[in-house]
Amino acid sequence: MPAVEVAAEPTSVSPTPVAPPGAHPTRTGRSGWTARGAAARMVRTTADLAALTRPQQWPKNLLAVPIALLDAPVWTAAALGRVGWAVLLFTLASSLVYVVNDVADRRLDAGHPSKRSRPVASGRVSAATAWVFAATLTAALAAGVVAGPALAWWPVAGYLVLNLAYSRWLKHVPLVDICVVAAGFVLRVLLGYAATAGPVSAWLLTTVFATCLLLILGKRRQELAVDGAAHRPALRGYNLNLADQLLTVNATVAVIGFLLYLHSDAPVGVYRNALLLSAVPLVLFGISRYLQAVLVRRGGGDPVRTVLRDRLIVVAAALLAASVGIALLAAQYPSS
């Protein structure tokens, strides 16, 4: 009989896994790739959540809250510690407000040429995740109030309530919108006064309010000139001419208010006249330089960046701060 050939059964061989593009050559198997992808996603999510808090805006708290130290009876370590705690709490409060605003404005921001890249507007962070993060910030803020020094914390509560009303309604009302934002900085200074237990100066608060309006109006003017009123409904109540007029008014009030503070309320004693002589040219130059940046160089869209990137404004502010600081220290600790 002829031989019958029997075909051998094929042996089952597991396919060799192929690494996806960009995978580390030492990783083998899906578990390694999955762990690597999960870690990368966690890093991206953490970075996006941090971006929601606007770290670039934190210097506002560092500048505004300690202004009350100008009227502190004595700069003690305890007072400085309370002011530092107040800065931390307002940083948490403002971060919470930024997160809530980004969730509330996500659809409007999605159509904005620059704001559409924000984490919530772009979809990188879901609204649900942002709300959970907001709840975490709220818990941290409450813990900071309970664990911190015994102070009058009403400025923080007032700031949160005011910004809740701003997010829901007030940001759409022309002129009221900018006043609410400026009032937030006045509340920062008031918390600083609560931390230092110093006498509140109406002229200093007037200066803070007018200066903040000046910076906000510079931003609104730049938005009008570049984007129009499409992405901020309140801008329908403004035009470039009104913005220019309001810039002039608030610049004048800011300068006069600060000089009146130095003349009447600042605790500088016999150094008052010398301080005024040095402050007048520095204040006038700094304000004029900012107006030049807004009206001539078409800046002001980011007030913090506009001020900090202008070396002459920074130099004038540093010289003014040094003059005020030297006068305050000389009045507090006179040489025997």
Side-chain angles (χ1 to χ4, degrees), residues 89-296:
L89 287 184
F90 245 109
T91 299
L92 288 172
S94 60
S95 297
L96 173 60
V97 167
Y98 288 136
V99 174
V100 173
N101 282 343
D102 276 8
V103 176
D105 294 343
R106 62 189 184 277
R107 293 183 178 85
L108 191 63
D109 289 347
H112 192 275
S114 59
K115 294 180 181 180
R116 63 187 179 189
S117 62
R118 290 177 176 175
V120 178
S122 65
R124 298 194 309 273
V125 174
S126 66
T129 301
W131 281 123
V132 172
F133 185 48
T136 303
L137 290 173
T138 303
L141 178 60
V145 170
V146 172
L151 298 178
W153 298 115
W154 66 266
V156 177
Y159 174 81
L160 293 175
V161 171
L162 190 64
N163 277 276
L164 178 62
Y166 178 83
S167 296
R168 300 285 294 178
W169 172 49
L170 296 179
K171 67 181 178 182
H172 301 306
V173 183
L175 298 181
V176 174
D177 62 323
I178 60 175
C179 290
V180 169
V181 177
F185 287 91
V186 174
L187 288 170
R188 287 172 168 89
V189 179
L190 286 173
L191 185 61
Y193 274 117
T196 61
V200 178
S201 169
W203 284 121
L204 187 58
L205 294 181
T206 299
T207 302
V208 171
F209 187 72
T211 302
C212 291
L213 283 176
L214 181 67
L215 298 175
I216 299 163
L217 284 163
K219 180 178 181 179
R220 293 291 189 269
R221 188 188 190 284
Q222 199 268 350
E223 290 173 341
L224 275 171
V226 175
D227 302 321
H231 302 292
R232 192 186 292 273
L235 287 178
R236 297 188 180 96
Y238 299 86
N239 58 31
L240 292 178
N241 185 50
L242 175 62
D244 293 345
Q245 296 292 331
L246 293 177
L247 282 169
T248 302
V249 169
N250 284 282
T252 304
V253 173
V255 171
I256 294 176
F258 185 67
L259 295 180
L260 285 174
Y261 164 74
L262 294 181
H263 177 71
S264 59
D265 293 348
V268 293
V270 297
Y271 304 97
R272 193 175 308 279
N273 289 336
L275 179 57
L276 278 169
L277 288 174
S278 64
V280 168
L282 293 172
V283 170
L284 289 175
F285 176 81
I287 292 291
S288 301
R289 181 74 177 181
Y290 176 74
L291 291 175
Q292 182 188 53
V294 173
L295 300 176
V296 179

